[in-house]
Amino acid sequence: IKEISEIILFKNINFLHYTTYSKNVFLDVENELQRKSFKEIYKTSFSNENSCNLNFLKNLPASSMIGTANKLVHFGWKKEAIPIFKSKKSLIARFFDTIFG
């Protein structure tokens, strides 16, 4: 569990910005028996020497996760850079394009 927490959160370059500004880690464990049995191990592994607060989510509906993922796929992040392809035209092509529209 310690290795997985390091791979997912603490050594992942995509989460470096998140870990510097937010101290909350939300963890959803499907199996209630596993959540109860390994609760302390999860806390010590994901807390990273008490620099993060671990919060367990209970009964997170799959429909809300699917809805959020759907919004991200269709609309993207608010500050996402969208590449625009602009073809480079030659001087003659631009000349005829300005004359004939």
Side-chain angles (χ1 to χ4, degrees):
I1 295 173
K2 178 100 174 137
E3 288 179 38
I4 292 171
S5 69
E6 289 177 355
I7 291 170
I8 292 173
L9 189 63
F10 302 115
K11 292 184 179 179
N12 188 347
I13 194 166
N14 298 319
F15 283 109
L16 288 178
H17 180 75
Y18 177 78
T19 55
T20 56
Y21 288 103
S22 179
K23 301 299 178 194
N24 293 322
V25 176
F26 297 96
L27 187 63
D28 182 24
V29 181
E30 290 285 327
N31 191 343
E32 188 174 341
L33 181 62
Q34 184 183 18
R35 182 175 48 238
K36 288 179 182 178
S37 301
F38 297 116
K39 187 173 186 175
E40 291 302 316
I41 296 172
Y42 285 131
K43 281 185 178 181
T44 56
S45 298
F46 280 92
S47 68
N48 195 20
E49 293 145 10
N50 295 325
S51 65
C52 295
N53 301 325
L54 182 65
N55 301 313
F56 287 97
L57 299 175
K58 292 183 181 178
N59 300 328
L60 185 65
S63 61
S64 70
M65 288 190 298
I66 292 171
T68 304
N70 184 33
K71 287 179 188 174
L72 283 174
V73 167
H74 287 289
F75 304 112
W77 301 99
K78 288 184 179 180
K79 295 183 179 181
E80 181 180 10
I82 300 172
I84 298 172
F85 179 72
K86 189 174 182 181
S87 62
K88 194 171 186 178
K89 296 181 180 179
S90 67
L91 181 62
I92 297 170
R94 284 186 283 167
F95 177 74
F96 283 112
D97 194 31
T98 55
I99 292 175
F100 298 111

